[in-house]
Amino acid sequence: MPKINGNEIRPGNVLEHNDGLWAAVKVDHVKPGKGGAFAQVELKNLRNGSKLNERFRSADKVERVRLEQKDQQFLYEDDGMLIFMDTETYEQNQISSDLLGERRPFLQDGMTIVVEFYDAEALNATLPQKVTCKVVETEPVVKGQTAANSFKPAILDNGVKVMVPPFVGQDEAIVVNTETMEYSERA
């Protein structure tokens, strides 16, 4: 694995540090008036989610880890484990539903997601940015109510609550951004 200098760390980099795998969340380069410059790095553990603030001087060497990204097709859920099929090798993989966190309800049957692996261990999963859902419950559409920036609550077919514009009615399909978990457009 390649070693990089402490001043080359960028947000999103995955590092092997203190016998764990850490993702750099935030990096601030600090040049104090006295002493050498350093990078103040906020790290997040990819296995247990704990956070750590660490200082790296430019002379410090850290291991940069490359995660293997694979397309995985969702098949079904079994006892809190999500069963995926590798789209290239057709092998089935079990991944904990905790890996998706609050975005789990947006995972639909047959959906292809990107899973990042370190050796055979799944560390991160990314859903498509936009997912189509159906509104199952919301207030009725009121004619003439077109005030800018007025939104109303709606419950989707997957149980998630989002805010939608006043013109969206019940049983209508909408597109939801899975990163911000907000209404994006009509489907």
Side-chain angles (χ1 to χ4, degrees):
M1 278 180 247
K3 281 191 179 271
I4 60 172
N5 292 334
N7 62 348
E8 295 175 13
I9 299 171
R10 301 284 175 261
N13 285 4
V14 177
L15 310 171
E16 193 171 308
H17 180 67
N18 291 353
D19 298 325
L21 288 176
W22 301 82
V25 180
K26 199 167 134 188
V27 179
D28 288 325
H29 293 280
V30 180
K31 189 170 185 210
K34 214 173 191 181
F38 59 88
Q40 182 72 35
V41 183
E42 184 180 318
L43 299 167
K44 181 179 178 200
N45 191 308
L46 292 175
R47 291 191 173 110
N48 62 23
S50 63
K51 291 200 171 182
L52 174 73
N53 276 312
E54 201 70 68
R55 282 184 178 183
F56 293 100
R57 302 216 174 271
S58 60
D60 295 342
K61 297 274 191 199
V62 286
E63 293 274 339
R64 181 165 175 210
V65 178
R66 293 223 185 266
L67 299 180
E68 186 179 0
Q69 294 185 336
K70 292 184 178 178
D71 288 343
Q72 302 281 317
Q73 185 177 7
F74 178 60
L75 300 176
Y76 61 93
E77 184 172 7
D78 184 33
D79 284 338
M81 296 300 283
L82 304 173
I83 312 302
F84 288 92
M85 178 182 69
D86 190 314
T87 56
E88 291 177 14
T89 63
Y90 302 107
E91 291 177 12
Q92 288 190 7
N93 299 311
Q94 285 191 349
I95 298 171
S96 171
S97 61
D98 298 339
L99 203 59
L100 289 173
E102 61 188 21
R103 289 165 182 71
R104 164 62 187 101
F106 291 108
L107 186 64
Q108 300 167 349
D109 288 341
M111 180 182 278
T112 300
I113 69 169
V114 176
V115 180
E116 293 181 322
F117 288 94
Y118 178 68
D119 293 332
E121 181 184 6
L123 293 175
N124 191 16
T126 309
L127 288 171
Q129 188 175 0
K130 295 188 175 180
V131 175
T132 303
C133 298
K134 186 177 171 188
V135 175
V136 291
E137 187 181 315
T138 188
E139 299 166 12
V141 175
V142 179
K143 292 282 185 207
Q145 186 181 13
T146 56
N149 294 340
S150 67
F151 282 78
K152 61 183 181 179
I155 299 175
L156 305 176
D157 54 0
N158 57 13
V160 176
K161 289 182 181 174
V162 295
M163 299 300 282
V164 297
F167 57 79
V168 174
Q170 193 165 321
D171 298 327
E172 220 175 302
I174 63 169
V175 176
V176 178
N177 184 328
T178 58
E179 291 172 8
T180 60
M181 296 181 73
E182 294 174 346
Y183 167 87
S184 181
E185 61 192 2
R186 276 183 165 159

